[in-house]
Amino acid sequence: MNEERLVRAVAKGDRAAFEELYRRTSPWLAVRLRRRCADEQVVAEVMQETYLAVWRAAGTFAGVAANGTAVGWLWTIAARRLVDAFRRRAHHAQPLPVAEAVAPAAEDEALARSLGDDVGDALRALAPELRQVLQAMVLDGLTVRETAVLLGVPEGTVKTRARRARIALREALT
């Protein structure tokens, strides 16, 4: 059974399907969250909130009818929960430690490979702060405000970096 069918079964209250969905998706989800936040407690809280939201809202999953995937839907929930965690900490003046990128994430490498040599090379040539903005806004589907909270920078900085990234990609590809 694929992840979409598992979500559909979860929507009907199937605990075994929920457990299977968790078993299949939690390892990569935790890795993606850790790449954005170094605080294990926050990652654990976001994971818990994410799967609770999945259990409660599985019936709202539109699936391929809305050009979505179960995994993409799950990541969207998790990314928004992480942004919420950043906001809570910012409100209480406790900045979250942002994970330091030591090696390219597997998702970044896969994206670069799947987009072809020219685009992949252009993405790899971007400065890390520009690549982070593109990843958050394009891959993760976050808004400018959510990206700003996630990266801990002002919204104007996010807009500037997104524009600089687009210009750099355009120049590299022409």
Side-chain angles (χ1 to χ4, degrees):
M1 186 179 299
N2 67 22
E3 286 82 6
E4 183 169 343
R5 287 188 178 152
L6 288 172
V7 172
R8 301 257 184 251
V10 169
K12 296 175 184 170
D14 185 336
R15 286 183 185 261
F18 179 77
E19 290 170 6
E20 179 64 16
L21 181 68
Y22 180 84
R23 187 190 63 73
R24 286 187 191 183
T25 59
S26 64
W28 71 260
L29 183 60
V31 168
R32 281 190 85 173
L33 290 169
R34 283 186 194 111
R35 291 199 60 81
R36 288 156 179 81
C37 177
D39 188 325
E40 282 297 320
Q41 182 180 355
V42 171
V43 170
E45 289 171 9
V46 168
M47 292 280 292
Q48 183 176 8
E49 291 173 9
T50 298
Y51 284 100
L52 181 60
V54 167
W55 178 256
R56 290 179 175 164
T60 66
F61 172 63
V64 292
N67 294 325
T69 65
V71 172
W73 179 69
L74 186 70
W75 171 245
T76 299
I77 293 169
R80 295 198 189 304
R81 295 297 187 271
L82 184 59
V83 168
D84 291 344
F86 275 96
R87 284 186 181 135
R88 284 192 301 271
R89 288 287 176 103
H91 180 70
H92 297 304
Q94 297 174 345
L96 289 172
V98 176
E100 292 183 28
V102 287
E107 65 200 26
D108 295 337
E109 291 177 0
L111 175 68
R113 278 195 307 272
S114 70
L115 293 175
D117 291 337
D118 293 341
V119 176
D121 290 343
L123 282 172
R124 282 188 288 278
L126 285 177
E129 66 273 8
L130 302 181
R131 205 169 35 250
Q132 287 175 335
V133 168
L134 281 183
Q135 181 178 7
M137 293 179 72
V138 176
L139 294 179
D140 299 341
L142 300 180
T143 65
V144 170
R145 175 172 283 160
E146 291 167 335
T147 300
V149 171
L150 181 67
L151 298 178
V153 297
E155 288 181 42
T157 302
V158 169
K159 291 176 185 177
T160 300
R161 288 180 182 174
R163 183 173 185 278
R164 286 178 46 212
R166 283 190 215 96
I167 290 169
L169 285 175
R170 190 176 305 119
E171 288 174 357
L173 294 172
T174 55

